[in-house]
Amino acid sequence: MAERSTAAVDVADTSGDEPLTAKAGKATDDGAEAEKVSGREKDAARTDEKRAEAADSQPPELHSGHKLARRYRLEECVTRLDGFSSWRAVDEKLRRAVGVHILPADHPRARPVLSAARSSALLGDPRFVQVLDAVEENDLVYVVHEWLPDATELSTVLANGPLEPHDAYQLVSQVSQAMSAAHREGLAHLRINPGSVLRTESGQYRIRGLAVMAALRGISCDHPQRTDTEAIGALLYAALTQRWPYENDAYGLAGLPKGVGLIAPDQVRAGVHRGLSELAMRALVNDGATASRQEQPCTTPEELAKAVAAMPRIRPPETAFSTPPPYQRTGFQQGTYQQSQARNQPGRPTQPIPAPPPPLQSRTGRALKWSVSALLIAALGLGSWQLADTLLKIENDQGGSSPSQSEDGAQQKPSKPLAIENATEFSPLDVPIAGAKASHTTDGNPETAWVTAGFKGWPNFGNLPNRKDGSGIIVDLGSVKELSGIQVSMYRPGQTVEVLGAAPSASNPASLNDFSLRLSKPERAGDKLTVKLGKAVKTRYVLIHVTELPSEPSGSYRGGISEITVTG
């Protein structure tokens, strides 16, 4: 399995009432009984039966210092629950911290956990904590995932108070978009809560435990999209009010008063943003909430993401600057530097300081002013005459042609985007890396992308013989057309890219030799690559050729393309 980048914390979340390390020696309670999410009541009996089966399978007897696969050294047990354990560990090969979940191979949930981990790893979305490895070995099943040293659980953030409107807006926007992308790939979370959402130092939100957390706990649901949507609404409610939107306390937050029911956030706490309050109720309508304006409820993460995008953008608060102290004049500036105490003694008059004469008031000064003025006037006149003469010559040479015309008098046509019929992955020497996602580069959605796998050791696709020609995307315009430019949005900066075209007579080009038209030289691209052609080029097929990939903190190399636009 190709390794993913950047890091995480434990997927097996708890309510946050006390540190997990304090509970490492016994089975812990993660506050599941305080959790109320639509769709889970029907699964309560099934979940209890699975927990009873899991209790018969004891967690393996492991200890700090134990190594898995001669690579992952266990450091600290953070969870023991239902026959499995979660650890903070060190990847001695890549010298980084990782998280590990360990189950006996005969555990009733071992197979579902392996399947969920491998499905989550294939998603490759950086908004989720990535699964790095999922292995069955020596009567053990273990899942290795990222560990984010700079991330903080949302439950810890909310312990200091509710979020500002801009931060709450970013939370619901990022989480709903991420879960919308996951559900499009058939993956659900089912346990989104303040303990499974992390905020990094840069203000980005990461979701941990996609599919894996539910598999570890034996949770299933008949309506996964509605369950995840209501959970996101509960997150937004807690972020706005610092209260859990149900009667029971959970995740370090106080619940609502008993018997009151679910009331809008702006009725719980003064100063809550009205639009975000209504959005939370639209997401929680799955549990019986009613939005104040009676908008349609949001029953899927995609509907919730669209509702967030339709809101007026909430700007971050302006930085407050303190007023500097008033300017203090020094003694030297006040004219007291040469006045000694002896001269200012009582009984002795102070000598007045004579004022300097006005500048250039003498006869020589007046003559100098008139001379400078005359020279300036002469210079201005000469410059104006030369400028007018030059403009007249240009006009005569061009015969009165307008600037919008070319040298031969033909009117230049403004460039416009060309329709793209198809996009395929360029993999001439091996099977496609992510061929099914090549169409994401032309779907008009910058949130989707074609992303390569992670290659170890070398930026040129692992220096593999079957990848020596690199990879990229072939764009088919449907017929031969005149091109004037290409613009490419890169999945991440630092990739070495060149743009090539096939001859007009080419049909289904598949190798580098088929692309004989060089439209741009190889260059290290940033977030965008823009190619403007000085002369129109006729072709049907355009290759965005990626030859080298940027490195990741994990030590592997990965790249990709988000969007391609061809103009003519």
Side-chain angles (χ1 to χ4, degrees), residues 118-136:
R118 290 166 179 171
S119 299
S120 176
L122 292 176
L123 180 61
D125 193 318
R127 293 171 293 192
F128 293 93
V129 171
Q130 298 296 301
V131 173
L132 305 177
D133 211 348
V135 180
E136 180 179 0

Side-chain angles (χ1 to χ4, degrees), residues 128-357:
F128 293 93
V129 171
Q130 298 296 301
V131 173
L132 305 177
D133 211 348
V135 180
E136 180 179 0
E137 182 182 57
N138 298 332
D139 297 330
L140 291 178
V141 169
Y142 59 90
V143 177
V144 183
H145 60 88
E146 293 178 304
W147 187 282
L148 291 177
D150 65 335
T152 306
E153 287 186 3
L154 183 61
S155 56
T156 303
V157 176
L158 294 179
N160 299 323
L163 301 183
E164 294 290 337
H166 173 72
D167 293 335
Y169 173 84
Q170 291 296 325
L171 168 67
V172 67
S173 176
Q174 295 180 30
V175 174
S176 61
Q177 290 178 13
M179 289 309 306
S180 177
H183 279 283
R184 283 197 295 268
E185 300 296 331
L187 295 174
H189 195 293
L190 305 183
R191 282 189 61 81
I192 300 176
N193 53 54
S196 62
V197 176
L198 312 172
R199 187 170 75 172
T200 64
E201 291 181 350
S202 61
Q204 300 298 314
Y205 291 93
R206 303 280 299 274
I207 305 173
R208 64 182 179 184
L210 177 65
V212 176
M213 187 178 291
L216 282 170
R217 304 304 176 90
I219 297 174
S220 60
C221 182
D222 295 332
H223 306 285
Q225 294 205 49
R226 190 175 67 186
T227 298
D228 284 344
T229 304
E230 183 187 338
I232 299 173
L235 285 183
L236 178 58
Y237 195 105
L240 296 173
T241 63
Q242 203 184 7
R243 300 287 293 269
W244 193 236
Y246 306 106
E247 292 184 353
N248 296 322
D249 301 346
Y251 311 108
L253 301 173
L256 297 178
K258 297 185 182 297
V260 175
L262 188 56
I263 55 179
D266 55 359
Q267 298 178 10
V268 176
R269 174 176 167 267
V272 172
H273 189 278
R274 180 68 180 275
L276 293 175
S277 175
E278 294 177 354
L279 192 65
M281 299 302 285
R282 291 178 64 185
L284 288 169
V285 75
N286 305 290
D287 196 57
T290 302
S292 58
R293 292 186 182 176
Q294 299 296 327
E295 288 100 340
Q296 291 295 324
C298 299
T299 57
T300 66
E302 185 173 4
E303 292 179 358
L304 183 58
K306 291 180 179 179
V308 176
M311 289 181 56
R313 189 174 184 85
I314 302 176
R315 298 183 178 275
E318 296 183 359
T319 305
F321 294 97
S322 59
T323 304
Y327 177 68
Q328 300 290 336
R329 294 179 62 88
T330 63
F332 174 75
Q333 293 167 330
Q334 295 172 353
T336 61
Y337 178 74
Q338 295 181 346
Q339 295 180 1
S340 62
Q341 295 181 357
R343 292 187 178 182
N344 292 327
Q345 291 179 356
R348 298 190 61 179
T350 303
Q351 296 292 333
I353 300 175

Side-chain angles (χ1 to χ4, degrees), residues 15 123 181 196 199 234 311 344 406-407 438 448 450 454 497 508 510 527 539 561:
S15 64
L123 180 61
S196 62
R199 187 170 75 172
M311 289 181 56
N344 292 327
S406 61
E407 295 179 357
T448 60
W450 168 80
V497 188
N508 296 323
D527 293 330
T539 184
I561 297 174

Side-chain angles (χ1 to χ4, degrees), residues 53-117:
E53 296 176 3
D56 297 334
S57 179
Q58 296 298 324
E61 292 297 331
L62 302 173
H63 55 83
S64 298
H66 183 87
K67 286 187 181 181
L68 300 174
R70 298 181 180 179
R71 174 175 179 177
Y72 304 111
R73 186 180 74 250
L74 304 182
E75 292 287 327
E76 178 185 10
C77 181
V78 294
T79 300
R80 286 188 190 273
L81 182 69
D82 291 348
F84 72 89
S85 60
S86 298
W87 294 75
R88 176 177 60 83
V90 174
D91 183 350
E92 294 186 338
K93 183 176 181 180
L94 297 179
R95 297 181 180 180
R96 62 177 179 179
V98 294
V100 183
H101 304 299
I102 306 175
L103 303 86
D106 59 351
H107 195 286
R109 300 177 195 159
R111 295 299 172 188
V113 167
L114 273 177
S115 176

Side-chain angles (χ1 to χ4, degrees), residues 491-552:
Y491 175 72
R492 56 183 309 190
Q495 304 178 67
T496 301
V497 188
E498 64 178 347
V499 182
L500 306 174
S505 59
S507 176
N508 296 323
S511 66
L512 280 179
N513 295 330
D514 295 334
F515 293 91
S516 58
L517 304 178
R518 180 173 294 278
L519 305 183
S520 74
K521 296 180 179 180
E523 61 177 292
R524 190 173 297 276
D527 293 330
K528 289 184 180 293
L529 174 67
T530 302
V531 177
K532 293 184 179 179
L533 304 177
K535 185 179 180 181
V537 176
K538 290 186 177 181
T539 184
R540 175 179 176 178
Y541 300 96
V542 178
L543 169 60
I544 315 300
H545 187 209
V546 181
T547 58
E548 290 190 8
L549 305 174
S551 62
E552 297 181 316

